[in-house]
Amino acid sequence: MNTRAILAIARKDLKVAVQNNGVVLPIIILPLILFVVVPWIMVYASFLAEATGTSTNMGQLLERMPAGLLHELSGYTPDQQLIAFTLIYMLAPMFLIMPLMVSSVLAADSFAGEKERKTLEALLYTPTTDRELFTAKLLGSWTAAVVVALLSFIVYAINANVAGWQSIGHLFFPNWMWIALVLWVTPAVAGLGLVVMVFASARAQGFQDAYQTGGLVVLPVILLMVGQISGVMYFSLGVVMIVGLVIWLIDAVLLWFASKSFRRGELMTKF
Amino acid sequence: MSSPVIQISSLTRRFGETKAVDQLTLDVQAGEIFGFLGHNGAGKTTTVRLLNGVLESTSGEAKVLGLDPQTQGPALRARTGVLTETPSLDERLTARDNLSIYADLYNVPLADVSARVDFLLAEFELADRADEKVGGYSKGMKQRLALARALLHKPEVLFLDEPTSGLDPVAARHVNSLVENLARREGCTVFLCTHNLVEAQKLCDRVAVMEHGHLVALGTPSDLTRQYVKRLDVDLEVDPAQMELVLPILQGLPQLVIGSPKREKDVLTLTLSGRKAIPELLNILVQKGLRVYRLAPQEANLEEVYFALHGETQ
């Protein structure tokens, strides 16, 4: 593998992507809302519920949660439980939207965007092999998605502890589940967004078209969120490890199919 | 001319029922500027793709620099440069970035990248705006930058797909002189796809004419004009006092002179049935007592060849 060429293509894709507001704005705005604004709203809502005496309703929500979760929260007082539940568990599935969104938006720009800008042909005439080209195209978007997710996680960890400090009074975030979520599930989810977008881009006319088609990939994450809020399941360490494993397996299968169809001749006609 | 650097034998590429390239056979010699002519859809771009291993052939064989494009594509593309029909530049990046990234892709030695990029930017008169985004460039500047990119790794064979398409005459002349210098000074073999016949006539040592994927003619521009252009325009100048005598004589020679002569001041332009008609006509005019000052054939050009061929295949 020609690593110099792979890094050059990845660098090119990222350089081009950051010039596109359609790519950059969601990457900045989404983590700002999810990991800076939302935690404070959650904590403020908890305090407000307590002050207005409606916290019993929230307590009822907790009562519907699986026993395992209640056990994990048993070390906290009832008021702390609400804050720990929202900051640790409720936002966990939402966190997965980050790598998914970043990888898919970058991949859409890298594959469909390249088609739209008519820049792919020159790339195909370079001495890179099909496999190098495919690896390079995935690498840039995947690395960026994982890095942005890690940075978001660090920002969120600081913010969650600061927001929850008044009620909990000690560092409570992250727990082992979050560590697994960030190091095991996040790279897998970034990969999922990427390969789905490779397929979407093959049929799309341009960046927006691909992004809209590939956007359906957030549906499983939304299902996980609903599952947790409704008390069907919760993000325990075990669940996170299993979810990660399933996504890695899906990635492997999709990646295999995508690499099979990633041939210069095919790209010349499809892209 | 030395050994062929491009050898094509019965090369065919189908897209469904359509044959984009059909049984193409030809050789291109080292150092040649080889014109590949044909209108849109004639199979020129498909041939370039096949010869660089970015498209698989349906049947037939090709060798470029002794390498098989189908099985040795990466090694081959390291030694060829391609200027695509659209410049295919990243317009959100600067010219310098565009070249630097492709220098990495073409494995230009790391220590040489900066100097090579600077040299090409200067050579193609882009140095002043090297750090501006390409999106703001004129079409001619983009085309020059794309050509510079194709030359980063000093290719042995350069494929140019409509290099002057859409350029103004000044920019087109600039690009053509760059191409000519490359071939004549640096010995680079140039495979020039174009439908600009004037350009091909000026630049090319040999040309191939394609029609619906078929090769319909191959040779030097002068060979082709001799072979395919049967009629010949000549300028005739006689003593001005005898001008009124000439026209009736010419009208009486339908086997030699086709149509009516056009007169401009003291010069008549006639269309003859062929080159062999020149001495016959001259002989008759002299025998009739005319003082002939000049009987000069106009050189036929590729445009006439092209339309003659087009007429034949239609």
Side-chain angles (χ1 to χ4, degrees), chain B residues 96 100 103 108-121:
Chain B
R96 192 182 300 283
S100 301
V108 175
L110 275 173
D112 301 342
V113 169
S114 180
R116 183 73 183 148
V117 167
D118 285 343
F119 168 77
L120 286 168
L121 287 168

Side-chain angles (χ1 to χ4, degrees), chain A residues 86-140:
Chain A
T86 51
L87 292 182
I88 298 174
Y89 295 97
M90 265 179 70
L91 276 172
M94 275 195 227
F95 178 79
L96 296 179
I97 291 177
M98 244 350 265
L100 199 59
M101 189 272 294
V102 176
S103 66
S104 51
V105 79
L106 288 175
D109 192 67
S110 170
F111 287 90
E114 191 114 58
K115 171 160 62 172
E116 199 170 22
R117 296 188 294 272
K118 296 185 167 61
T119 51
L120 189 70
E121 195 173 3
L123 209 52
L124 298 180
Y125 281 116
T126 62
T128 49
T129 62
D130 292 353
R131 187 193 282 189
E132 285 164 354
L133 203 54
F134 187 60
T135 307
K137 285 276 169 195
L138 296 183
L139 184 72

Side-chain angles (χ1 to χ4, degrees), chain A residues 224-254:
Chain A
L224 287 173
M225 283 166 59
V226 172
Q228 175 151 291
I229 290 169
S230 61
V232 172
M233 46 77 73
Y234 82 103
F235 266 45
S236 65
L237 181 59
V239 166
V240 164
M241 294 304 284
I242 291 168
V243 166
L245 183 66
V246 170
I247 297 173
W248 276 119
L249 289 173
I250 295 170
D251 282 357
V253 173
L254 291 179

Side-chain angles (χ1 to χ4, degrees), chain A residues 2 4-9 11-13 15-20 23 109 113-114 116-130 132-133 207 263-266 268-269, chain B residues 13 15 45 48-49 52-56 73-75 77-80 82 84-93 97 100-110 113 133 149 161:
Chain A
N2 181 348
R4 187 180 165 202
I6 290 172
L7 292 176
I9 295 170
R11 193 174 80 234
K12 174 187 91 77
D13 280 355
K15 266 189 159 181
V16 170
V18 297
Q19 310 279 332
N20 182 356
V23 172
D109 192 67
E114 191 114 58
E116 199 170 22
R117 296 188 294 272
K118 296 185 167 61
T119 51
L120 189 70
E121 195 173 3
L123 209 52
L124 298 180
Y125 281 116
T126 62
T128 49
T129 62
D130 292 353
E132 285 164 354
L133 203 54
F207 167 75
R263 295 278 175 271
R264 269 181 162 72
E266 291 285 306
M268 271 294 180
T269 47
Chain B
R13 169 69 202 207
F15 291 104
T45 302
V48 172
R49 289 174 176 174
N52 282 277
V54 298
L55 205 59
E56 288 170 10
R77 289 190 295 273
R79 296 169 64 188
T80 62
V82 181
T84 51
E85 192 173 357
T86 52
S88 204
L89 296 161
D90 278 304
E91 300 206 351
R92 295 181 199 156
L93 302 181
D97 280 342
S100 301
I101 286 165
Y102 274 81
D104 285 342
L105 293 175
Y106 279 109
N107 269 320
V108 175
L110 275 173
V113 169
K133 283 182 189 168
R149 182 185 57 194
D161 197 352

